[in-house]
Amino acid sequence: MNTLFEKFSLTFERQRSDLEISGSPERCIDRLVVEDADGTLWLVEKLKEAQADWRNTVGTLLSQLHEKNVPYIHTPAQTADGNTIVIHENNPYQITPFIIGTDLPRPEYCADKERGQRIGDFINALQSAGKQISTPERSTPPLPEYVAETVKTIKLHRPDITQKLSPILPLLDSFFSEHDSIPLALAHGDCHPLNIIWHNNEVAGVIDWEFTGEKIVLYDAANCIGCVGIEHPNWLINGLVPELIATLYTQNKLFAANIHHLIPTVIALRFAWLSEWLRKQDTEMQNMELDYMRLLATSRQEIESFWKQRYTMQ
């Protein structure tokens, strides 16, 4: 560990196994928290070789966003030549400031309007800064392409689920036909409350940037809405979600102009979760996801009406 830290011009002091790490452990081979000689805490990630170039690109992006004063950005350590990745014992490593926060109360956080405002402010600031810098191309396939491929796989292996998708897929037709005309903006790519480090109801930092890149302007908001709403459908129309939408609608012209595509975007993004439950053979979550997608499809007008009441109050 001493040698690794020296490559970043830092001095290793001790490992901090007493600190719990937020975010998905599946995004690296191994990770741990370390304290340097100055008392600064770092998240040390051992990466797969295939991750190195992209994670270095993401590290550079975070540095640029920090320079543009985007809130809640914590930049990885850099070497003397500006890289955020080093090879140590034949593996790529990246070290990022470790952010201490407070536990996110679930599901109580869904009722917190202030959290919705904070997330909306972050998305707006991120998209605004993205116009001023060179941003990575989207790191995930376009939603029409992804959903089509997922549905094709489901038809081959799970025809029973194909039948359950029949009331959902038609809602996406208009969205997909207009998808390429929806403006792109810099996105976090996996924006939801569990990828935010909170200090009470204030944001301390945003983590897990692996899916960042240019995506449709609705992407981050839709992903967040989908993750909150599945806690309970009532949270689609109360608390955090309407406040998030109002914050974006009143401050982001591109978002406001395309808000009619918001629920179809939420549904399209839920296919990634459905795919995950199928991969894990989790029947309970598969059924919950399908029920959730059907609710979004069949209750679209009612949900949009609640949202409009909130954002037209501004």
Side-chain angles (χ1 to χ4, degrees):
M1 194 60 65
N2 285 312
T3 304
L4 172 62
F5 266 57
E6 287 171 1
K7 293 178 179 179
F8 289 105
S9 301
L10 298 169
T11 303
F12 168 76
E13 182 68 25
R14 59 175 174 151
Q15 183 175 340
R16 293 293 303 272
S17 54
D18 57 308
L19 296 173
E20 185 176 349
I21 303 173
S22 301
S24 172
E26 297 179 359
R27 295 184 176 181
C28 59
I29 297 174
D30 195 15
R31 60 185 188 168
L32 67 157
V33 181
V34 166
E35 185 176 331
D36 70 14
D38 294 328
T40 302
L41 297 174
W42 298 93
L43 176 65
V44 178
E45 294 178 284
K46 179 181 179 180
L47 307 173
K48 299 175 184 177
E49 184 178 353
Q51 294 177 285
D53 287 346
W54 177 247
R55 289 289 292 269
N56 191 56
T57 297
V58 172
T60 300
L61 173 66
L62 292 175
S63 296
Q64 293 174 320
L65 293 175
H66 181 74
E67 291 172 1
K68 295 296 182 182
N69 297 314
V70 177
Y72 323 132
I73 301 294
H74 296 264
T75 60
Q78 294 185 358
T79 62
D81 56 2
N83 287 319
T84 66
I85 298 289
V86 301
I87 304 300
H88 176 66
E89 296 179 350
N90 299 317
N91 284 104
Y93 280 80
Q94 188 172 57
I95 67 174
T96 309
F98 180 76
I99 314 160
I100 295 179
T102 53
D103 291 338
L104 182 67
R106 298 179 69 184
E108 292 83 0
Y109 81 87
C110 301
D112 196 328
K113 295 180 179 180
E114 287 188 22
R115 293 184 199 269
Q117 292 173 358
R118 301 287 184 272
I119 298 171
D121 289 342
F122 165 70
I123 293 173
N124 279 332
L126 180 63
Q127 292 188 359
S128 178
K131 299 173 184 176
Q132 306 170 49
I133 61 177
S134 177
T135 58
E137 294 182 3
R138 51 193 169 199
S139 51
T140 51
L143 286 173
E145 180 183 320
Y146 178 80
V147 171
E149 190 62 31
T150 303
V151 170
K152 180 180 177 182
T153 301
I154 289 172
K155 285 180 178 178
L156 285 174
H157 302 287
R158 292 294 302 273
D160 57 315
I161 290 183
T162 304
Q163 185 177 1
K164 294 177 181 179
L165 288 172
S166 59
I168 299 167
L169 293 175
L171 182 67
L172 300 178
D173 289 343
S174 176
F175 167 53
F176 286 165
S177 67
E178 298 179 37
H179 179 273
D180 290 348
S181 66
I182 299 174
L184 301 179
L186 179 60
H188 173 275
D190 197 10
C191 181
H192 61 78
L194 292 176
N195 275 340
I196 295 172
I197 305 298
W198 299 92
H199 189 269
N200 298 321
N201 63 350
E202 297 288 338
V203 178
V206 181
I207 61 173
D208 285 1
W209 287 80
E210 286 82 357
F211 299 120
T212 190
E214 282 200 331
K215 305 176 192 294
I216 60 171
V217 70
L218 304 166
Y219 195 101
D220 275 347
N223 192 66
C224 184
I225 292 165
C227 291
V228 174
I230 200 162
E231 297 274 5
H232 192 285
N234 281 340
W235 297 125
L236 289 168
I237 58 174
N238 293 290
L240 186 157
V241 166
E243 208 66 26
L244 165 64
I245 293 171
T247 301
L248 291 168
Y249 183 89
T250 56
Q251 301 175 32
N252 189 322
K253 292 181 180 179
L254 293 180
F255 177 90
N258 291 277
I259 196 170
H260 55 292
H261 288 308
L262 186 54
I263 285 182
T265 307
V266 175
I267 295 172
L269 283 166
R270 297 312 299 181
F271 275 84
W273 290 95
L274 178 60
S275 180
E276 179 74 0
W277 309 137
L278 289 168
R279 183 179 68 83
K280 292 182 175 180
Q281 299 182 343
D282 188 331
T283 303
E284 181 180 355
M285 289 306 300
Q286 290 168 26
N287 291 332
M288 180 183 292
E289 196 67 59
L290 288 164
D291 287 344
Y292 183 42
M293 293 163 77
R294 280 196 296 270
L295 180 141
L296 287 164
T298 58
S299 303
R300 176 182 179 179
Q301 290 185 338
E302 182 181 4
I303 296 167
E304 289 178 336
S305 177
F306 273 98
W307 290 350
K308 187 173 183 179
Q309 288 177 32
R310 176 63 190 91
Y311 63 71
T312 54
M313 289 170 53
Q314 296 290 94

